[in-house]
Short mmCIF file of all heavy atoms in Angstrom, two decimals:
data_model
loop_
_atom_site.label_atom_id
_atom_site.label_comp_id
_atom_site.label_asym_id
_atom_site.label_seq_id
_atom_site.Cartn_x
_atom_site.Cartn_y
_atom_site.Cartn_z
N THR D 1 2.13 -12.93 -2.93
CA THR D 1 3.17 -12.83 -1.91
C THR D 1 4.28 -12.10 -2.50
O THR D 1 4.77 -12.47 -3.55
CB THR D 1 3.57 -14.28 -1.34
OG1 THR D 1 2.33 -14.86 -0.85
CG2 THR D 1 4.63 -14.12 -0.28
N LEU D 2 4.77 -11.11 -1.79
CA LEU D 2 5.91 -10.34 -2.13
C LEU D 2 7.06 -10.83 -1.33
O LEU D 2 7.17 -10.66 -0.18
CB LEU D 2 5.68 -8.85 -1.88
CG LEU D 2 6.67 -7.75 -2.55
CD1 LEU D 2 6.74 -8.03 -4.04
CD2 LEU D 2 6.11 -6.43 -2.16
N PRO D 3 8.18 -11.52 -2.17
CA PRO D 3 9.23 -12.06 -1.36
C PRO D 3 10.10 -10.99 -0.65
O PRO D 3 10.01 -9.77 -1.10
CB PRO D 3 10.02 -12.83 -2.37
CG PRO D 3 9.63 -12.19 -3.74
CD PRO D 3 8.21 -11.63 -3.44
N ALA D 4 10.89 -11.38 0.33
CA ALA D 4 11.77 -10.46 0.99
C ALA D 4 12.65 -9.76 -0.16
O ALA D 4 13.16 -10.46 -1.00
CB ALA D 4 12.63 -11.10 1.88
N GLY D 5 12.80 -8.49 -0.11
CA GLY D 5 13.51 -7.76 -1.05
C GLY D 5 12.80 -7.68 -2.53
O GLY D 5 13.45 -7.11 -3.42
N GLY D 6 11.68 -8.19 -2.59
CA GLY D 6 11.01 -8.22 -3.87
C GLY D 6 10.24 -6.94 -4.26
O GLY D 6 10.04 -6.15 -3.47
N TYR D 7 9.85 -6.94 -5.61
CA TYR D 7 9.17 -5.73 -6.09
C TYR D 7 7.82 -6.25 -6.88
O TYR D 7 7.84 -7.32 -7.30
CB TYR D 7 9.93 -5.08 -7.17
CG TYR D 7 11.27 -4.50 -6.54
CD1 TYR D 7 12.45 -5.17 -6.45
CD2 TYR D 7 11.28 -3.17 -6.12
CE1 TYR D 7 13.63 -4.72 -5.92
CE2 TYR D 7 12.47 -2.55 -5.58
CZ TYR D 7 13.56 -3.48 -5.54
OH TYR D 7 14.72 -2.91 -4.94
N LEU D 8 6.81 -5.42 -6.80
CA LEU D 8 5.60 -5.65 -7.48
C LEU D 8 5.21 -4.45 -8.19
O LEU D 8 5.06 -3.36 -7.53
CB LEU D 8 4.48 -6.08 -6.58
CG LEU D 8 3.16 -6.30 -7.15
CD1 LEU D 8 3.18 -7.65 -8.03
CD2 LEU D 8 2.10 -6.50 -6.14
N VAL D 9 4.88 -4.45 -9.49
CA VAL D 9 4.46 -3.31 -10.16
C VAL D 9 2.94 -3.46 -10.46
O VAL D 9 2.42 -4.50 -10.87
CB VAL D 9 5.18 -3.20 -11.60
CG1 VAL D 9 4.56 -2.08 -12.57
CG2 VAL D 9 6.64 -2.97 -11.37
N VAL D 10 2.16 -2.37 -10.27
CA VAL D 10 0.74 -2.26 -10.47
C VAL D 10 0.54 -1.08 -11.38
O VAL D 10 0.92 0.13 -10.98
CB VAL D 10 0.01 -2.06 -9.20
CG1 VAL D 10 -1.47 -1.91 -9.44
CG2 VAL D 10 0.20 -3.25 -8.12
N PHE D 11 -0.01 -1.26 -12.53
CA PHE D 11 -0.29 -0.16 -13.45
C PHE D 11 -1.63 0.55 -13.05
O PHE D 11 -2.61 -0.12 -12.78
CB PHE D 11 -0.44 -0.73 -14.93
CG PHE D 11 0.78 -1.35 -15.42
CD1 PHE D 11 1.01 -2.70 -15.25
CD2 PHE D 11 1.77 -0.65 -15.99
CE1 PHE D 11 2.14 -3.35 -15.78
CE2 PHE D 11 3.03 -1.16 -16.42
CZ PHE D 11 3.14 -2.57 -16.33
N ALA D 12 -1.54 1.91 -13.07
CA ALA D 12 -2.78 2.63 -12.79
C ALA D 12 -3.42 3.04 -14.01
O ALA D 12 -3.33 4.14 -14.61
CB ALA D 12 -2.26 3.85 -11.94
N SER D 13 -4.05 2.07 -14.61
CA SER D 13 -4.66 2.10 -15.96
C SER D 13 -6.12 2.19 -16.03
O SER D 13 -6.69 2.29 -17.11
CB SER D 13 -4.19 0.87 -16.82
OG SER D 13 -4.68 -0.27 -16.18
N ALA D 14 -6.82 1.96 -14.90
CA ALA D 14 -8.24 1.86 -14.77
C ALA D 14 -8.79 0.68 -15.40
O ALA D 14 -9.97 0.54 -15.71
CB ALA D 14 -8.96 3.19 -15.37
N LYS D 15 -7.96 -0.40 -15.74
CA LYS D 15 -8.39 -1.64 -16.35
C LYS D 15 -8.84 -2.68 -15.31
O LYS D 15 -9.56 -3.59 -15.70
CB LYS D 15 -7.31 -2.16 -17.15
CG LYS D 15 -6.90 -1.38 -18.41
CD LYS D 15 -5.83 -1.98 -19.29
CE LYS D 15 -5.52 -1.09 -20.37
NZ LYS D 15 -4.32 -1.53 -21.24
N ASP D 16 -8.55 -2.43 -14.06
CA ASP D 16 -9.01 -3.38 -12.98
C ASP D 16 -8.72 -4.86 -13.29
O ASP D 16 -9.64 -5.67 -13.32
CB ASP D 16 -10.53 -3.12 -12.74
CG ASP D 16 -10.90 -3.83 -11.38
OD1 ASP D 16 -10.10 -4.10 -10.53
OD2 ASP D 16 -12.16 -3.94 -11.14
N ARG D 17 -7.47 -5.11 -13.35
CA ARG D 17 -6.96 -6.53 -13.64
C ARG D 17 -6.23 -7.02 -12.30
O ARG D 17 -5.21 -6.51 -11.95
CB ARG D 17 -6.08 -6.61 -14.75
CG ARG D 17 -6.86 -6.28 -16.18
CD ARG D 17 -5.97 -6.42 -17.30
NE ARG D 17 -6.68 -5.98 -18.46
CZ ARG D 17 -6.00 -5.69 -19.63
NH1 ARG D 17 -4.80 -5.68 -19.74
NH2 ARG D 17 -6.89 -5.25 -20.65
N ARG D 18 -6.81 -8.11 -11.78
CA ARG D 18 -6.26 -8.62 -10.54
C ARG D 18 -5.68 -9.95 -10.56
O ARG D 18 -5.44 -10.62 -9.54
CB ARG D 18 -7.45 -8.61 -9.51
CG ARG D 18 -7.97 -7.26 -9.25
CD ARG D 18 -9.13 -7.48 -8.29
NE ARG D 18 -10.04 -6.22 -8.46
CZ ARG D 18 -10.23 -5.49 -7.42
NH1 ARG D 18 -9.71 -5.68 -6.26
NH2 ARG D 18 -11.02 -4.38 -7.68
N ASP D 19 -5.57 -10.61 -11.72
CA ASP D 19 -5.17 -11.97 -11.93
C ASP D 19 -3.58 -11.95 -11.67
O ASP D 19 -2.80 -11.34 -12.52
CB ASP D 19 -5.37 -12.44 -13.30
CG ASP D 19 -4.87 -13.91 -13.52
OD1 ASP D 19 -4.22 -14.45 -12.63
OD2 ASP D 19 -5.25 -14.39 -14.63
N PRO D 20 -3.21 -12.59 -10.59
CA PRO D 20 -1.78 -12.56 -10.20
C PRO D 20 -0.77 -13.23 -11.25
O PRO D 20 0.36 -13.01 -11.20
CB PRO D 20 -1.69 -13.28 -8.89
CG PRO D 20 -3.00 -13.89 -8.60
CD PRO D 20 -3.96 -13.29 -9.61
N ALA D 21 -1.37 -13.95 -12.22
CA ALA D 21 -0.56 -14.62 -13.25
C ALA D 21 -0.22 -13.70 -14.34
O ALA D 21 0.66 -13.93 -15.15
CB ALA D 21 -1.41 -15.77 -13.77
N GLY D 22 -0.91 -12.43 -14.37
CA GLY D 22 -0.46 -11.55 -15.35
C GLY D 22 -0.27 -10.17 -14.78
O GLY D 22 -0.22 -9.99 -13.45
N PRO D 23 0.02 -9.19 -15.56
CA PRO D 23 0.18 -7.74 -15.06
C PRO D 23 -1.00 -7.29 -14.28
O PRO D 23 -2.13 -7.53 -14.68
CB PRO D 23 0.47 -6.93 -16.33
CG PRO D 23 0.86 -7.91 -17.38
CD PRO D 23 0.21 -9.17 -16.99
N LEU D 24 -0.74 -6.61 -13.13
CA LEU D 24 -1.79 -6.11 -12.26
C LEU D 24 -2.15 -4.62 -12.76
O LEU D 24 -1.23 -3.81 -13.01
CB LEU D 24 -1.50 -6.10 -10.89
CG LEU D 24 -1.13 -7.50 -10.24
CD1 LEU D 24 -0.65 -7.39 -8.85
CD2 LEU D 24 -2.24 -8.41 -10.30
N HIS D 25 -3.47 -4.33 -12.80
CA HIS D 25 -3.88 -3.03 -13.25
C HIS D 25 -4.96 -2.57 -12.23
O HIS D 25 -5.93 -3.20 -12.06
CB HIS D 25 -4.54 -2.95 -14.62
CG HIS D 25 -3.51 -3.27 -15.75
ND1 HIS D 25 -3.01 -2.27 -16.51
CD2 HIS D 25 -2.95 -4.46 -16.17
CE1 HIS D 25 -2.18 -2.75 -17.40
NE2 HIS D 25 -2.10 -4.09 -17.21
N ALA D 26 -4.67 -1.45 -11.57
CA ALA D 26 -5.66 -0.80 -10.68
C ALA D 26 -6.77 -0.27 -11.42
O ALA D 26 -6.83 -0.08 -12.61
CB ALA D 26 -5.01 0.31 -9.86
N ASN D 27 -7.95 -0.05 -10.67
CA ASN D 27 -9.16 0.49 -11.36
C ASN D 27 -9.24 1.97 -11.31
O ASN D 27 -10.27 2.58 -11.51
CB ASN D 27 -10.38 -0.07 -10.58
CG ASN D 27 -10.44 0.37 -9.13
OD1 ASN D 27 -9.53 0.95 -8.64
ND2 ASN D 27 -11.49 -0.03 -8.38
N PHE D 28 -8.03 2.63 -11.23
CA PHE D 28 -8.07 4.10 -11.31
C PHE D 28 -6.70 4.50 -12.14
O PHE D 28 -5.90 3.62 -12.29
CB PHE D 28 -8.04 4.73 -9.92
CG PHE D 28 -6.86 4.30 -9.06
CD1 PHE D 28 -5.58 4.92 -9.16
CD2 PHE D 28 -7.02 3.24 -8.21
CE1 PHE D 28 -4.59 4.53 -8.24
CE2 PHE D 28 -5.94 2.77 -7.32
CZ PHE D 28 -4.76 3.41 -7.41
N GLN D 29 -6.79 5.71 -12.58
CA GLN D 29 -5.62 6.28 -13.26
C GLN D 29 -4.98 7.42 -12.41
O GLN D 29 -5.79 8.03 -11.63
CB GLN D 29 -6.00 6.84 -14.62
CG GLN D 29 -6.38 5.71 -15.58
CD GLN D 29 -6.75 6.28 -16.97
OE1 GLN D 29 -7.61 7.20 -16.99
NE2 GLN D 29 -6.26 5.73 -17.96
N LEU D 30 -3.75 7.75 -12.63
CA LEU D 30 -3.10 8.83 -11.90
C LEU D 30 -2.87 9.99 -12.83
O LEU D 30 -2.64 9.89 -14.01
CB LEU D 30 -1.86 8.35 -11.29
CG LEU D 30 -1.93 7.22 -10.35
CD1 LEU D 30 -0.58 6.72 -9.85
CD2 LEU D 30 -2.76 7.78 -8.97
N SER D 31 -2.93 11.16 -12.20
CA SER D 31 -2.66 12.47 -12.91
C SER D 31 -1.22 12.69 -13.01
O SER D 31 -0.49 12.56 -12.03
CB SER D 31 -3.39 13.54 -12.25
OG SER D 31 -2.89 14.81 -12.66
N ARG D 32 -0.74 13.20 -14.10
CA ARG D 32 0.70 13.59 -14.34
C ARG D 32 1.01 14.69 -13.49
O ARG D 32 2.04 14.93 -13.00
CB ARG D 32 0.83 13.85 -15.74
CG ARG D 32 2.30 14.17 -16.08
CD ARG D 32 2.47 14.43 -17.59
NE ARG D 32 3.94 14.84 -17.87
CZ ARG D 32 4.64 14.36 -18.72
NH1 ARG D 32 4.12 13.50 -19.60
NH2 ARG D 32 5.90 14.79 -18.93
N ALA D 33 -0.01 15.49 -13.13
CA ALA D 33 0.08 16.77 -12.43
C ALA D 33 0.31 16.47 -10.97
O ALA D 33 0.76 17.42 -10.21
CB ALA D 33 -0.99 17.70 -12.55
N GLY D 34 -0.05 15.34 -10.42
CA GLY D 34 0.10 14.98 -8.98
C GLY D 34 -1.37 14.84 -8.39
O GLY D 34 -2.23 15.63 -8.78
N GLU D 35 -1.46 13.97 -7.50
CA GLU D 35 -2.64 13.82 -6.68
C GLU D 35 -2.42 12.81 -5.66
O GLU D 35 -1.39 12.32 -5.34
CB GLU D 35 -3.87 13.22 -7.61
CG GLU D 35 -3.59 11.83 -8.06
CD GLU D 35 -4.73 11.25 -8.92
OE1 GLU D 35 -5.78 10.94 -8.36
OE2 GLU D 35 -4.55 11.08 -10.12
N PHE D 36 -3.50 12.65 -4.73
CA PHE D 36 -3.34 11.76 -3.51
C PHE D 36 -3.03 10.34 -4.10
O PHE D 36 -3.60 9.93 -5.13
CB PHE D 36 -4.65 11.71 -2.77
CG PHE D 36 -4.55 10.75 -1.61
CD1 PHE D 36 -4.03 11.17 -0.44
CD2 PHE D 36 -5.11 9.55 -1.78
CE1 PHE D 36 -3.96 10.17 0.60
CE2 PHE D 36 -5.03 8.53 -0.85
CZ PHE D 36 -4.50 8.90 0.46
N LEU D 37 -2.29 9.60 -3.43
CA LEU D 37 -1.92 8.21 -3.67
C LEU D 37 -1.63 7.48 -2.38
O LEU D 37 -0.86 8.01 -1.64
CB LEU D 37 -0.88 7.95 -4.75
CG LEU D 37 -0.46 6.55 -4.98
CD1 LEU D 37 -1.69 5.81 -5.61
CD2 LEU D 37 0.68 6.44 -5.91
N GLY D 38 -2.32 6.34 -2.05
CA GLY D 38 -1.97 5.75 -0.83
C GLY D 38 -2.08 4.23 -0.95
O GLY D 38 -2.70 3.65 -1.69
N LEU D 39 -1.19 3.55 -0.09
CA LEU D 39 -1.13 2.13 0.18
C LEU D 39 -1.71 1.89 1.51
O LEU D 39 -1.22 2.50 2.47
CB LEU D 39 0.28 1.57 0.02
CG LEU D 39 0.46 0.24 0.59
CD1 LEU D 39 -0.22 -0.79 -0.44
CD2 LEU D 39 1.94 -0.24 0.61
N PHE D 40 -2.77 1.09 1.60
CA PHE D 40 -3.50 0.96 2.85
C PHE D 40 -3.38 -0.55 3.33
O PHE D 40 -3.47 -1.45 2.48
CB PHE D 40 -5.00 1.36 2.70
CG PHE D 40 -5.10 2.83 2.46
CD1 PHE D 40 -5.07 3.33 1.19
CD2 PHE D 40 -5.37 3.62 3.49
CE1 PHE D 40 -5.25 4.61 0.93
CE2 PHE D 40 -5.60 4.95 3.30
CZ PHE D 40 -5.48 5.48 2.02
N SER D 41 -3.35 -0.70 4.61
CA SER D 41 -3.27 -2.01 5.23
C SER D 41 -4.51 -2.87 5.00
O SER D 41 -5.50 -2.31 4.64
CB SER D 41 -2.97 -1.94 6.67
OG SER D 41 -4.10 -1.32 7.34
N HIS D 42 -4.48 -4.17 5.32
CA HIS D 42 -5.54 -5.03 5.11
C HIS D 42 -6.54 -4.94 6.31
O HIS D 42 -7.72 -5.53 6.26
CB HIS D 42 -5.18 -6.46 4.87
CG HIS D 42 -4.33 -7.02 6.03
ND1 HIS D 42 -3.09 -6.79 6.38
CD2 HIS D 42 -4.70 -7.93 6.97
CE1 HIS D 42 -2.69 -7.41 7.40
NE2 HIS D 42 -3.71 -8.22 7.79
N GLU D 43 -6.07 -4.50 7.51
CA GLU D 43 -6.96 -4.43 8.59
C GLU D 43 -8.12 -3.41 8.45
O GLU D 43 -7.99 -2.47 7.74
CB GLU D 43 -6.16 -4.00 9.95
CG GLU D 43 -5.14 -4.87 10.31
CD GLU D 43 -3.75 -4.44 9.80
OE1 GLU D 43 -3.66 -3.32 9.33
OE2 GLU D 43 -2.71 -5.17 9.91
N LEU D 44 -9.11 -3.66 9.07
CA LEU D 44 -10.27 -2.68 9.11
C LEU D 44 -10.45 -2.00 10.51
O LEU D 44 -10.33 -2.78 11.48
CB LEU D 44 -11.67 -3.42 8.74
CG LEU D 44 -11.60 -3.99 7.39
CD1 LEU D 44 -12.99 -4.78 7.11
CD2 LEU D 44 -11.53 -2.89 6.34
N PRO D 45 -10.56 -0.75 10.60
CA PRO D 45 -10.51 0.20 9.44
C PRO D 45 -9.11 0.26 8.90
O PRO D 45 -8.12 0.07 9.58
CB PRO D 45 -10.95 1.47 10.10
CG PRO D 45 -10.52 1.37 11.45
CD PRO D 45 -10.63 -0.05 11.88
#
């Protein structure tokens, strides 16, 4: 849960760590040169 006014950092490290008790790491890495990046809602589609 992200509180009102709160921040959440997710590292794009390809480590795939989802334990909310520790730092979050996505399962992909980002290019320094730029690429697509998106935040998507929980609804399907």
